[in-house]
Amino acid sequence: MVSTLEARIDQGTGREPADIVLKGGRFFDLVTGELVASDIAICGDTIVGTTETYTGRQEIDITGKIVVPGFIDTHLHIESSLVTPHEFDRCVLPYGVTTAICDPHEIANVLGEEGIRFFLDSALETIMDIRVQLSSCVPATHLETAGADLPIEKLLPFRNHPKVIGLAEFMNFPGVVHKDPVCMAKLEAFQGQHIDGHAPLLSGTALNGYLSAGIRTEHECTTATEALEKIRKGMHILVREGSVSKDLHALMSIITERLSPFLALCTDDRNPLDIAEQGHLDYMIRTAIANGVEPLAIYRAASISAAKAFGLRDRGLVAPGWRADLVVIDTLQNCKAGLVLSAGRIVNDDLFATRKPVAPVGLDSVKARHVLAAHFGVPATDSESPVIGVLPGKIITEHRRYKLPTDGNQTSVDLTNDIIKVAVIERHGKNGNHANGFVQGFGLKKGAIASTVGHDSHNICVVGVNEDDMALAANRLGEINGGFVVVADGKVMGEIALPIAGLMSLEPYETVRDTLHDLRKTAYALGTTLEEPFLQVAFLPLPVIPHLKISDKGMVDVDRFALI
């Protein structure tokens, strides 16, 4: 609903009635911090009047309510919501998230260019403004096997697409610092455009070198100390609170009025169940204010500061000439969206019904078959074994070592110390790799949990107490073309099918939400103590987060960036 320049001027000056007028409420001025009693006049997709009285063709009474700018999620992987972009739009926009800056990194690692096209085609149809950062690290590392390879030559045709902002999170920070030719080619091609960062715990001169490549934003900060160093060096910090990575509380102290111009909010990875139970960015805002953060600081981070960080100069304020992305809430503290406008359009089911569908892709991406219990054996050793140490609420892991029990010539699990087996199975039909190891911290007492969501190459990852259940879980994933599976005592206890690239469901988000609810209870019944066991499994293969991970090629010592 784009308006003409003439119409905007006529409606802003009051010569003509506005298309829509929100009457009787107040808006939160993110410049002064004031709550201003005012009509808000809208022409097409643009705000044309504030602080004056207006008449409108459609007038909406919002007496007693507060209007804030639409929220901007500055970094997320829509695939991690387990639903399509269309369903993500329908799920999240009613919570006030009017702009989402996504990296289709997950589907790109499975399908390559086909996955990126699917996202760009979807972004042209959604009501929410979905912007795309082109996936910079496909594959993420040579230490694992991805389904695709995206050198710079394959990214350049997408660079000028109207929904593309720039280059997505450059997670291969060792490649940047050491001037890897593949990394350098991508960085050179996107100089002058936005380049998103991903450099957990990087500091000192290595951070300086990384930033000298033109990288400006970072969502991987897990401490205030880390965030402050990066802010001082010119980075815009994207405070993250997802389903697994929960950094909001750790970074609460930096969310101040002084630093808010250099902050934004993101979810990175958040599933429909958590959205239904807690919310989205609105949850972050409520939580921050409840913990003493000034409303002006957190609302700035949620909108105007985020917009500026990514060059979206048309949104983020309730002011004439700005995009009419608006959220009507009861109070600043509760941040409950009652009415949402996206580009001047009232968000409701009728509006969602105007979207054109986009055909699904990657419906046969799980090539792994005929997995046997014998494939999960780990030869006995006299020395200590490397063990991945899971940290609840974080994707960072620890590198631990234990002397594990043996059974004949095989190393066994150690339930007394909460150590079970973990395996990654290549599922793209490239080489059939299969690697085994051990993980501590899941709490499983029996059974197995398996997933085709396995960051970043999205091979099959399975954790379990016994090999028979692990094999059954892995094979079942092939039968349903990807998803999550829970097995115990030789039976499939629960599952959710994710047939789009092994990452996303074909079902409505409500179905995914309800299925996840039941599946989580099934996993809890096996003894797991993790709040998000499925996403925790999915992050075990991620080989670019310290300190110990597993890939289809074996255990990875990330501190040395090498297989062990």
Side-chain angles (χ1 to χ4, degrees):
M1 191 169 61
V2 179
S3 56
T4 66
L5 176 61
E6 290 80 2
R8 293 199 299 270
I9 293 172
D10 284 342
Q11 292 185 27
T13 57
R15 287 193 289 263
E16 295 288 341
D19 292 337
I20 297 175
V21 179
L22 305 181
K23 299 189 71 71
R26 298 178 291 170
F27 71 87
F28 194 21
D29 184 345
L30 298 187
V31 178
T32 66
E34 298 172 294
L35 284 170
V36 181
S38 172
D39 286 355
I40 299 171
I42 299 167
C43 175
D45 61 357
T46 304
I47 302 166
V48 294
T50 59
T51 71
E52 306 293 340
T53 301
Y54 284 90
T55 59
R57 297 183 179 93
Q58 180 179 5
E59 295 185 354
I60 301 174
D61 183 6
I62 59 166
T63 300
K65 308 292 186 181
I66 297 171
V67 181
V68 296
F71 309 138
I72 302 173
D73 191 335
T74 53
H75 175 78
L76 77 159
H77 307 283
I78 288 176
E79 306 97 311
S80 294
S81 71
L82 310 179
V83 296
T84 64
H86 274 55
E87 283 302 299
F88 178 84
D89 182 29
R90 198 170 66 84
C91 175
V92 172
L93 182 53
Y95 289 90
V97 180
T98 53
T99 303
I101 301 172
C102 81
D103 170 12
H105 175 83
E106 321 309 340
I107 197 170
N109 264 281
V110 178
L111 302 178
E113 297 143 292
E114 183 184 19
I116 292 179
R117 287 193 198 96
F118 174 70
F119 263 74
L120 290 173
D121 291 346
S122 298
L124 292 173
E125 295 297 332
T126 55
I127 305 303
M128 174 193 291
D129 187 13
I130 293 178
R131 297 300 180 102
V132 175
Q133 298 272 68
L134 295 176
S135 305
S136 67
C137 296
V138 179
T141 169
H142 67 284
L143 298 174
E144 58 184 351
T145 303
D149 185 13
L150 289 179
I152 186 59
E153 294 79 16
K154 293 183 178 180
L155 291 178
L156 288 177
F158 300 111
R159 183 171 57 178
N160 295 321
H161 190 282
K163 287 292 186 177
V164 168
I165 291 179
L167 198 59
E169 55 176 322
F170 220 99
M171 59 177 56
N172 188 1
F173 57 85
V176 176
V177 173
H178 296 291
K179 300 181 295 184
D180 173 80
V182 174
C183 293
M184 295 297 285
K186 293 176 181 178
L187 292 167
E188 288 279 6
F190 281 84
Q191 292 298 300
Q193 291 182 258
H194 188 90
I195 304 176
D196 206 5
H198 174 121
L201 307 180
L202 197 65
S203 64
T205 56
L207 176 60
N208 292 344
Y210 183 75
L211 297 181
S212 297
I215 296 166
R216 291 288 177 265
T217 47
E218 166 71 304
H219 62 277
E220 289 290 344
C221 291
T222 54
T223 68
T225 300
E226 179 184 2
L228 285 171
E229 179 186 2
K230 290 175 175 176
I231 288 173
R232 291 188 184 105
K233 292 181 176 179
M235 295 198 92
H236 206 109
I237 301 303
L238 317 181
V239 179
R240 174 176 58 186
E241 187 76 5
S243 289
V244 171
S245 300
K246 302 175 185 292
D247 304 316
L248 177 61
H249 286 276
L251 300 180
M252 205 85 76
S253 63
I254 71 167
I255 308 175
T256 64
E257 185 176 333
R258 174 173 289 184
L259 294 180
S260 60
F262 307 99
L263 302 175
L265 305 182
C266 76
T267 56
D268 202 353
D269 301 283
R270 195 162 181 82
N271 67 50
L273 183 55
D274 287 344
I275 295 168
E277 292 177 348
Q278 299 174 334
H280 204 263
L281 294 188
D282 58 315
Y283 167 75
M284 295 183 69
I285 294 169
R286 280 193 300 277
T287 302
I289 293 174
N291 283 272
V293 171
E294 285 293 323
L296 179 58
I298 193 69
Y299 277 97
R300 278 179 175 172
S303 51
I304 183 61
S305 297
K308 287 183 175 180
F310 286 86
L312 301 174
R313 301 182 181 277
D314 62 342
R315 68 199 70 186
L317 290 178
V318 181
W322 293 68
R323 180 179 164 103
D325 287 345
L326 301 170
V327 187
V328 181
I329 59 178
D330 290 332
T331 68
L332 296 178
Q333 289 72 26
N334 75 5
C335 193
K336 293 283 189 181
L339 173 69
V340 178
L341 288 88
S342 175
R345 300 164 296 178
I346 297 171
V347 174
N348 53 34
D349 289 341
D350 290 340
L351 183 60
F352 287 125
T354 65
R355 305 170 302 173
K356 296 178 182 177
V358 175
V361 296
L363 297 179
D364 186 26
S365 68
V366 184
K367 313 294 187 190
R369 296 289 192 276
H370 311 302
V371 179
L372 303 176
H375 292 155
F376 297 96
V378 178
T381 176
D382 292 332
S383 59
E384 293 182 329
S385 299
V387 176
I388 300 171
V390 169
L391 301 176
K394 296 184 182 296
I395 59 175
I396 292 174
T397 59
E398 290 184 344
H399 187 167
R400 301 170 184 169
R401 301 192 71 86
Y402 281 86
K403 186 68 176 71
L404 297 176
T406 58
D407 182 6
N409 63 351
Q410 295 290 305
T411 304
S412 302
V413 301
D414 182 356
L415 296 185
T416 301
N417 288 306
D418 190 17
I419 298 173
I420 60 175
K421 284 191 173 180
V422 57
V424 173
I425 305 164
E426 190 273 325
R427 59 109 164 169
H428 305 295
K430 302 283 186 177
N431 52 35
N433 282 349
H434 187 129
N436 302 315
F438 293 92
V439 63
Q440 183 179 45
F442 267 85
L444 280 186
K445 303 302 181 187
K446 65 177 182 176
I449 298 172
S451 169
T452 50
V453 181
H455 300 277
D456 280 315
S457 293
H458 298 290
N459 291 301
I460 291 173
C461 186
V462 53
V463 298
V465 173
N466 74 77
E467 294 84 353
D468 288 329
D469 284 347
M470 294 175 76
L472 175 59
N475 286 319
R476 182 58 183 162
L477 287 174
E479 294 169 357
I480 63 175
N481 291 312
F484 300 145
V485 173
V486 178
V487 168
D489 301 322
K491 296 180 181 179
V492 175
M493 308 302 293
E495 65 187 26
I496 182 170
L498 303 174
I500 301 178
L503 302 171
M504 291 176 284
S505 174
L506 292 166
E507 300 298 325
Y509 79 84
E510 294 94 342
T511 301
V512 175
R513 176 196 66 205
D514 295 344
T515 305
L516 275 177
H517 180 269
D518 294 341
L519 197 59
R520 186 191 280 178
K521 288 169 59 177
T522 302
Y524 290 163
L526 302 188
T528 184
T529 54
L530 295 174
E531 183 179 353
E532 286 293 341
F534 304 104
L535 285 181
Q536 203 81 56
V537 170
F539 278 107
L540 286 177
L542 188 67
V544 288
I545 297 288
H547 298 281
L548 184 63
K549 292 293 178 179
I550 184 169
S551 81
D552 64 293
K553 297 182 180 180
M555 298 288 272
V556 180
D557 182 339
V558 181
D559 290 335
R560 295 188 291 115
F561 217 61
L563 292 167
I564 57 174

